[in-house]
Amino acid sequence: MRKFFTIMLAALTFAACTNSNEKMSKCVNDTWDKVFPLSEKVNHKKVSFQTQYGFTLVADLYTPKGMTPALEGRAGEGLFPAIAVSGPFGATKEQSSGLYAMKMAERGFITLAFDPSFTGESSGEPRRTASPDINTEDFMAAVDFLSKLPEVDANRIGIIGICGWGGIALNAAAADTRIKATVASTMYDMTRVSGNDYNDAFDDEQWRHRNRENLSQQRLADPAAMAGGVLDTVPPQAPRFVHDYFDYYKTPRGYHARSDNSNDGWRVIGTQAYANSRFLYYINEIRSAVLIMHGENAHSRYFGEAAYHYMVDGKAEGYKTVVAPNPCPENKELLIIPDASHCDLYDGGFTEPEGKGEPKNLIPWDKLAEFFNKNLK
């Protein structure tokens, strides 16, 4: 409970930032308000940067303690590899993405965990909105920012996308050749689930047409109407993954006041474009290294496995298009974590539900570091 009230108190400090773009820049400070403790092995500071769409993204920059600052303009030798991190879909940098960034900084990388556009401390109105194009640009803008840091080798930059941001990370890697290595952890393909529902249960033209009609009418009836979000009370008969989301987002384990989308949902029309897009059409052409990591028991595992096979083989169940096999299959990897669920790869998992007990260690941090060290060189 102490951790919960610490988070709430820190969140109140930033309350004015949540819904006001004008005040957002005043809120960039170094107050520690994460759902995990700060490692003694890293330094941390709050930063911000612009996207090509004109949004201001706020991020946490983590650097290894003891690193020697590089001289401006110095190339190659002595510079650090860097990693940009975001996700899960609807979450903020104070949660899973910040933990991933901090753990990679412990292992020698300069890392950046950022709030996407419309989310957390970043700008963008109306809130509770997502866009395939804008979210992909968010990742590429993070690469822009890291590339300009004097301590970073701009030729050694990778990204990590968690949950829905795993699919966005693959889309960014397909678009931006500066990204030399990509990890998609416990990934969703948000375009696929938005268009077909879970396990493609409504992969049907008539169902999609009805859904499009409803969304089209919603734009005029009430564009601010809300839906989704994590349940405050989960009935016992609910699917296991619904309980898992509650255990992370609604308990001291992962709750954060600024995580509006995961706390209380999205605008009904806020993700409308996702249902009529497909992120992964060109991932078979990604030449840089990719690691797709999923839990053995994750309800979302089929997203990661299908994306991997589509990327490497050019075809997979759930993808109507068959494309050419990948020209560089040797640097693509699918890693299944035994006994792990979807949310276990947010933070490593807990020995008991609702954030009680001791944390597990189901995320192979050293494996991730090995992957980036091998491919960011």
Side-chain angles (χ1 to χ4, degrees), residues 139-283:
F139 251 135
M140 295 192 289
V143 174
D144 294 341
F145 175 81
L146 288 172
S147 298
K148 296 172 185 177
L149 293 179
E151 295 82 13
V152 168
D153 184 343
N155 294 311
R156 301 166 66 201
I157 294 178
I159 61 175
I160 299 174
I162 307 158
C163 187
W165 277 79
I168 298 169
L170 292 177
N171 198 48
D176 193 336
T177 59
R178 298 173 303 164
I179 298 169
K180 304 303 183 185
T182 301
V183 169
S185 176
T186 196
M187 70 162 280
Y188 265 53
D189 177 351
M190 291 304 303
T191 57
R192 181 176 175 181
V193 73
S194 296
N196 298 351
D197 211 304
Y198 282 105
N199 297 300
D200 301 315
F202 295 103
D203 184 8
D204 176 80
E205 185 274 337
Q206 291 187 5
W207 180 86
R208 278 190 288 270
H209 181 71
R210 287 195 298 271
N211 191 43
R212 289 167 184 147
E213 282 191 327
N214 291 336
L215 290 172
S216 298
Q217 294 167 10
Q218 186 69 51
R219 297 180 69 91
L220 297 177
D222 183 5
M226 298 284 292
V230 179
L231 298 175
D232 290 323
T233 303
V234 181
Q237 67 273 21
R240 179 66 254 174
F241 74 90
V242 177
H243 289 271
D244 289 344
Y245 282 134
F246 175 89
D247 292 343
Y248 182 78
Y249 285 113
K250 294 292 189 176
T251 74
R253 173 181 167 190
Y255 172 81
H256 199 279
R258 283 199 298 277
S259 183
D260 293 334
N261 303 321
S262 53
N263 287 339
D264 55 15
W266 300 79
R267 291 188 306 132
V268 173
I269 65 170
T271 59
Q272 184 175 7
Y274 270 89
N276 293 282
S277 303
R278 284 297 177 267
F279 265 150
L280 308 183
Y281 185 87
Y282 289 116
I283 62 172

